[in-house]
Each structure stands twice: as structure tokens, then as C-alpha cells.
Amino acid sequence: MSNKQDALDYHSKGRKGKIEVITTKPCATSRDLSLAYSPGVAEPCLEIEKNPNDAYKYTAKGNLVAVVSNGTAVLGLGDIGALAGKPVMEGKGVLFKSFADVDVFDIELDTKDSDELIRTVKLLEPTFGGINLEDIKGPECFYIEEELQKIMSIPVFHDDQHGTAIISAAGMLNALEIIGKKVEEAKIVVNGAGAAGIACANLAITMGIDKNNVILCDTKGVIYKGRTAGMNEYKERLAAETDARTLEDAMVDADIFFGVSAKGALTPEMLKTMAKDPIVFAMANPDPEITPPDAKAVREDVIIGTGRSDYNNQVNNVLCFPFLFRGALDTHASAINDEMKLACVKALAELAKEDVPDSVRKAYAGEEIKFGREYLIPKPFDPRVLLHVAPAVAQAAMDSGVARRPIEDMDKYRERLEAMQGRSKEIMRTLINKAKAAPKRVVFPEGEEEKVLRACQVLVDEGIAKPVLLGNEEEIRARIKFLNLDLDDIDIIDPMNSTKRAEYIDAFFEMRQRKGATRAEAKRLIKKNRNYYGAMMVHRGDGDALLSGVDHHYPETIRPALEIIGKKEGLSKVHGAYMMVTKKNVTFFADTTVTIEPTAEELAETAILTAEKATHFEIEPRVAMLSFSNFGSALHPLTLKVKRATALVNEWAPDLVVDGEMQANVALDPDLMEKQYPFSKLKGNANVFVFPDLQSGNISYKLLNKLGGAESVGPILMGMKKPVHVLQRGDDVADIVNMAAVAVVDAQEAQA
């Protein structure tokens, strides 16, 4: 937990606050200015005057949300006023942008008059694509939201109500499934009758819980039919026919407890009286109604969630509002209705049952995260939430008739969402789509490895590849079952008892007998070294590509492939490259992994092979042959080698855009290139960088990865007769999936 000074420093140091406005179009020349403002800006104005919906086409309205508050119920701080609440509203903007690429203006209104607030927000409608009401106290918040929904034609959503309700409802569905109880039979007690509590109770009823099995409590006790003290019309709608008068009375035989009240409101004694396998969501912040350790000390069978990040099953609104608005904005929805909220609930509940990416595990110190009592709700930093919730919400908007711009191709929409998460995902999706067009058999010698198995689930589910696992079938099947994967139909081959083993031994001995291999060694390698067996499978056509290295050193994987499959005819050796992805650029670095001190001929091969690989990713290659000199400015054996390599590339691949020798900054600086070297084929926009030796290439890609924040895809092995790629020990499931897609596309081209 951070201390007070940490929080103050975070907000005050450097540029004040947490947000800024940036431009999305150039404004560097007089022409840019004439288009951005006068006179060019008149044209879109006139188009919008003719057709108001064109505002979504020519302005940022369609991706802009107002976070509106009057500061009357800010977090756990209460009524601190609109201005004091501004840091929270800025924070909301940060979350919208970070998680779903939704732009936000925070609007703090200095009024407690509900009608004045309603009128003000209504007047803002031309500016925004949606309204997120925030930190407005109840019961005024109910009235404000209901009235705005009546008079506005853009979505209005009070997150304090519905966000908490949606996340807790998703967790409730999964908890009920785990304990084997039907929704309609469950009894629920909601403690706290403010915005969140009433919304939780209403959504639980919408989810199927019998209204007669819902008891709402506030500081005065049970809200029952006939009660007059502390009532309002919103509490009255949920008043129960019950003899219970206190929270303690209500908890007897209850299946579910939702707490949005205060620290310690649920006592251990109350918990003891709940039904078997009680479900407790103690969501008071920062201190829950009962802590998980205290609850588990009383009931071992309790399933518990809180609003805190230091306990499992965190009910965090960030799982909802960015993605709900993303789907609403992308369909130009006129409202956020119950159907869209339910779609959000179900999408979150289903996502929690899927295998969790390594990126999420790493964010939570590598802890085991698996659907069950301790994992009912996706983690807040799970990048898949955007890809599951936004499309579900968009589909619900279309199905319920509030979408004014239906999404015609949901698969392409998901790809667009994926691209929001980084250029590497966008680029890899291009390759994955190619792989899916004709999936190939990818052999995994490390068949029992958890990451490999989890990657295979993705490959099978998405139809990217046909995995073949090597190893003991009984052990692999047991591992699949333990990981709760659906890989019953996957091919598993045990080299120890394979029917092809003798054939492979004979073939290997014939291939290597004049290179020092004995029959006994051939038998040992094929039988006990799965990298050799896998390479032989690909060599003999029983597999299309080989992928290994998660639990082996680089040479252990590449040596068998070189001995059995070998390099392509006409090449001096194989080469390695990495695709480096930043927010603005996609580039290729080579050789970064194989050739330590290349000759000019080997450098030329590297350049041509890497350029060919770039085309696989639908990138037009522009090759810079790097050195410490520019076009003869320094005469040295190292620079002369690069100069000769450039000449060879021009000779062997005359249509390829390539130049050198040149320094790296020149290769990336159009103005410098034009001013100093106007004769160059490159115009300062290189995207394939061929380094003069492995040392410089390896250092450069790792520096760019760590200091420049670039994502790397690789190593990509080039020049083999058949596709072989080497994984790294630190690779996660996504890396393995990416490299499998690369291998499949290589196999497609090899068989074309």
C-alpha cells in the first residue's frame, strides 16, 4: 500500500494531475493549420449541419465520454465537493483510456440541485458519445440517471450503481455453479441500501433470483413492507414480506451476502448461521464487512470476495465500465440497457472459466490462477476482458435495438479491439489469420510442459495449427486433465514405443553414418531425445514444422534440426531475426541469434531472408545494411564487408529496396538522408536492419526491448529446408502461439 506522500507526489510531480489532451492529426505546417482550423474546418461543419450523425464521422464524439460528478459521494470520503473529487474523476479517465482506449473529459459540477445537474448534462449532449455519472449520492443518483436516460439519446450510466452490481453478479453466477445451486433457489441478503446496494439487489433479481428471496438492509435494519423510517421510493420497491428485522435475523439460512456498507458489518456469528457453502461478497472499501481470513476461520466452506486487490475474487468496477462503454460507443448506442448489462455479466462469468494468460499470472507474482472458489472473477489486468465484454455488449445493443451503427463483421471488430492493445497484436493477427486459412501439423517435443499444453489449447480453439505432442501419453493426458484443458483429440506420440522408431533410426544412421554417428547412437538419440525424433518427423513429412526450446538451451534445439533437416540449398547457413514492435513502428532486426561473425555473403543472405520474412507480415521491406560509417566515410575491413554485402544484395535481389553501409540514425531520419545522401534508395524510413555481427544485433534488440519498450516476436529462424523455430525459456503462452503461427505460415509457403 502507498503512503500519503507517495500519493501526493504521484499527482503533483511533473505535469500536474493525471491527464492531458493530445492531437491526433499533424499541425506542423501552414497547410495543416488551414485544414485543422480556418478555412478547412468549415467543410465538416457543413456536413454535420446537413446530417447530425456525421459528427461521429468527423469529430471525436464517438469515442468521448463525460465523467460527471458533483462530489457528494466520493469513494469512502463522502460529500467532499465537486472540486475535491476532481482527482477521482481524472483517475476514471485514466482507466477508460488505459483499458479500452476511450477518451474522457471529467466534468465536475458544483451543485447539489438534481434538476440543475440534469439540465446541465443534457446541454452537453452534442459534445459526448456517452455519460458516466460518478460519485453522486443516493437517492438523488437514481433520479438523475432515470431522468437523463429519458431525455438523452446517448448512453447514460451510473457506474457506482451498475458497475458493482455487474461484477458481483458475474461472481455470484460462478459461485452458484461451483456449489451446485440454482439461481432461482438462492436466498440473498444485501447490506447497504445506497446506489450500489439497490443496484446489486435489482440485478440479482434480473439474473433470476426470486424477488421473495431478496432481503435488503440499511443502517436501520431490514427494509420490510410497512416500514416507514428512512424509506424512499427506491427502497420501497425492494421491501420484503418478512418477519426479519435485523441483519442478524436476515442472515439465517441465507445463501448469499452482498455487502456494500461498512467495516465489520458481517460478524462471524452471523456467518455461522448462513446456509452450506455460503457466498460472501464483502465489498465495503477500504475495509470489508468481514475479511477473508476471519470468514475462513469461521467457515471453511465459505466462498468470499472483496473489493480489495490483496485478496482473491476482487470486485473491481474497472472490469466493467471501460468495456461496457467501448461496446456502446462502437455501435453508437442510444442507451445502455438491461440487455447490455446482462451481456457484460455473462461475458465476465464465462471468461473466468478460461485458461489465464501468463501476462496475468506475472502481474500477480506468478500465483496459480484457476477457475474455482478462489477465482470467480477475471483479474482487473486481464487484457482479454476487452475482447470478451465489448463484443458481447455490442451484440446485445444490436439485438435489443439501441445500436444505431450495427457491427457487420464481429470477427473483424474483435481484431480491431485487439489492435488497441498494441501493434504486435495487430501484426500477429494478420499472420494468425494466414495460418488459420490452412492449419499445419506443428510438432512440440516438450509435450508435457504446461505452457506448451496451454498454448496448444489456443492453437486448437482458434484453428491456427494442428499440434502434435511428443512424450509419455499417460503423463501428458494426466497433465491435460490437471490443467482442465479440452485436448482429448490432440495427437500424442511417445518416441519410446512409436511404430516409426525403427524407421527413423535407420534413416538417421544412413544420414549421419559418415559424420561420426554409430547405429547405437542413432538408436539412443531417436529413442530418448525428442528434439531428434521431432526433427525426423518433419524431415520425413510426418509433421510440417517443429517448435521447441521452452525447457532446452538454444543449441539443444537447433543442433538436431540442422543435422536432420538442414539448411536450404544454396545458402551458407541459417539465420535468425526478431520482429520489434513499438507503438509507431514495426521493424526487423537480423542476425540476432545465429551467425556470430558473418561474411559479406552471409550478411547478404540475412538481408534477403529477413526481407522475405517481413513480407509474411504484409510489411514492404526497406533494408538498411548497418555499420559505423555512412557510404564510405570510414574505410575499415568491417565497413568494407558491409559495403560488399550491400552490393551482393543488389545483385541477388535487384528489386529489393536496400542500401548501405549506413549508420542507424541515418536509416531512420528522412531529413538527414535527403540532405546528406539524396542518392540513396532509402529515404530514412528503413524497417529491416541488418547488423554487421550478431553481437551488435543481439545487444540492440534487447536494449530496444527493455529501454525502448518494444515488444519482440522471435527468434525467427530463417533458411531451414523445413520450418523449425526455437522457443526461449522465458516465453509465455502468447509467445508460443505467435511462433506456432509463424511456423504454420512457413509450412504453407514451403508446401505451395
Side-chain angles (χ1 to χ4, degrees), residues 10-54:
Y10 176 87
H11 287 80
S12 65
K13 287 197 171 175
R15 194 182 185 102
K16 309 308 179 188
K18 300 189 287 287
I19 58 175
E20 66 175 332
V21 176
I22 61 172
T23 60
T24 59
K25 301 293 190 297
C27 192
T29 67
S30 59
R31 182 177 184 277
D32 293 340
L33 186 60
S34 70
L35 292 172
Y37 200 54
S38 180
V41 74
E43 299 303 331
C45 291
L46 294 172
E47 293 300 309
I48 295 169
E49 182 187 27
K50 289 186 286 186
N51 179 11
N53 282 335
D54 276 354

Side-chain angles (χ1 to χ4, degrees), residues 434 577 579 586-590 604-625 649-650 653-659 667 681-690 718:
K434 284 186 178 181
M579 181 174 73
V586 177
T587 57
F588 291 82
F589 283 21
E605 285 179 3
T606 299
I608 293 169
L609 289 172
T610 310
E612 290 175 355
K613 188 59 62 179
T615 63
H616 291 183
F617 293 86
E618 297 188 359
I619 292 171
E620 184 178 346
R622 299 182 297 275
V623 184
M625 307 295 288
V649 176
N650 281 315
D655 294 332
L656 184 61
V657 177
V658 58
D659 215 337
K681 288 184 181 180
L682 284 174
K683 301 302 177 187
N685 57 357
N687 54 23
V688 174
F689 299 93
V690 179
M718 306 175 297

Side-chain angles (χ1 to χ4, degrees), residues 142-190:
F142 302 112
Y143 169 69
I144 290 168
E145 184 188 48
E146 288 176 1
E147 290 303 306
L148 285 173
Q149 287 173 341
K150 291 176 187 175
I151 62 176
M152 298 186 79
S153 60
I154 58 175
V156 178
F157 181 79
H158 185 208
D159 184 48
D160 298 311
Q161 292 181 58
H162 309 297
T164 301
I166 286 169
I167 312 305
S168 56
M172 177 190 75
L173 284 183
N174 281 341
L176 287 171
E177 179 180 324
I178 287 169
I179 68 174
K181 180 160 285 189
K182 294 180 180 178
V183 176
E184 56 270 21
E185 296 173 352
K187 297 179 181 179
I188 183 171
V189 175
V190 179

Side-chain angles (χ1 to χ4, degrees), residues 446-458:
E446 300 157 310
E448 74 288 342
E449 286 291 326
E450 177 182 336
K451 289 180 181 179
V452 169
L453 291 171
R454 290 170 48 223
C456 286
Q457 186 70 71
V458 178

Side-chain angles (χ1 to χ4, degrees), residues 367-396:
E367 69 179 77
E368 181 68 23
I369 304 175
K370 185 177 179 182
F371 179 65
R373 289 171 174 260
E374 298 298 323
Y375 177 63
L376 303 167
I377 309 165
K379 297 288 189 180
F381 287 101
D382 192 329
R384 301 170 302 162
V385 178
L386 172 66
L387 309 181
H388 283 67
V389 173
V393 170
Q395 188 64 56

Side-chain angles (χ1 to χ4, degrees), residues 357-359 425 428 455 731-739:
D358 288 329
S359 61
K425 290 183 180 294
M428 283 310 305
D731 281 350
D732 61 22
V733 170
D735 295 322
I736 298 170
V737 170
N738 287 344
M739 291 311 302

Side-chain angles (χ1 to χ4, degrees), residues 317 603 725:
N317 286 13
L603 277 179
H725 289 291

